[in-house]
Amino acid sequence: INASCIIHRDMGMISNSISVRVVGISSCPCAYEVSSYIDPFNKSTHMQGIIVKTALTLSREIKISPIELINVVKKAIKLAPVQILKRRDEALFTIEIMKHRRFAEDLVRDVARELALTSSELIPDDTLVNVKINSKETIHLYNVNAELKSRVGEIRRMVKT
């Protein structure tokens, strides 16, 4: 987890930015579905390490702290890597990961939704948000990236409908 805050002054305009990077874990919904057709009693999938970069930019002071923003992102992605687990706990953790199967683009929308649900006192509607997900694939020779750029107010309107 890391965070940064930046203030830019360009031609008399000031913009404030805050960005965080959070590491998480996801699992593949596609492989899970296919495995259920092959053996309905032994559903399985593969895991992906994910890196979520979230940046907020506003023309005035940003009231959300880096720690609060990290917690919003962690709430959306649900699962983060764990340093040390006993075997039984590790098995339970992987089962929990398989319950939260999501594509990279689903994760981007989930982070955006959590930002929209955050108080408008902390994140005003005119805040520009940029969420990037890099999914480190475990069985493929490629990684998957997804990105969403929008104003928080636009996301809030979509969440309400």
Side-chain angles (χ1 to χ4, degrees):
I1 295 174
N2 62 26
S4 63
C5 298
I6 301 169
I7 298 174
H8 294 283
R9 186 180 294 256
D10 185 23
M11 292 193 241
M13 296 293 292
I14 295 175
S15 67
N16 295 289
S17 297
I18 182 173
S19 62
V20 297
R21 181 180 170 272
V22 178
V23 176
I25 301 172
S26 182
S27 61
C28 179
C30 208
Y32 186 85
E33 287 301 314
V34 172
S35 75
S36 69
Y37 291 116
I38 295 168
D39 184 353
F41 301 106
N42 190 19
K43 297 176 185 178
S44 61
T45 190
H46 62 96
M47 309 293 170
Q48 293 123 194
I50 56 171
I51 299 171
V52 183
K53 295 178 184 174
T54 305
L56 305 178
T57 304
L58 193 59
S59 61
R60 56 190 182 280
E61 181 185 359
I62 294 177
K63 296 195 176 171
I64 191 167
S65 74
I67 298 298
E68 290 169 316
L69 183 55
I70 287 168
N71 288 333
V72 169
V73 173
K74 285 171 71 175
K75 183 176 178 184
I77 63 175
K78 294 187 177 37
L79 297 162
V82 182
Q83 192 73 0
I84 299 173
L85 290 173
K86 295 189 184 261
R87 289 183 183 172
R88 183 178 190 288
D89 295 332
E90 189 173 85
L92 293 171
F93 187 64
T94 58
I95 290 168
E96 191 64 25
I97 294 167
M98 288 199 304
K99 289 179 185 175
H100 297 283
R101 304 172 299 279
R102 293 178 286 176
F103 294 112
E105 54 272 28
D106 296 327
L107 288 160
V108 162
R109 285 189 290 267
D110 290 346
V111 171
R113 184 178 304 107
E114 280 303 321
L115 290 168
L117 295 173
T118 301
S119 165
S120 59
E121 292 291 319
L122 289 177
I123 306 176
D125 282 351
D126 59 336
T127 305
L128 179 63
V129 62
N130 185 356
V131 180
K132 295 180 183 180
I133 302 274
N134 178 258
S135 178
K136 306 287 187 186
E137 297 292 318
T138 55
I139 67 169
H140 302 297
L141 295 175
Y142 56 83
N143 294 326
V144 176
N145 296 300
E147 182 174 9
L148 181 145
K149 289 182 184 179
S150 184
R151 298 269 176 206
V152 173
E154 293 173 38
I155 300 166
R156 283 188 175 119
R157 284 188 289 282
M158 287 188 268
V159 168
K160 286 182 182 177
T161 58

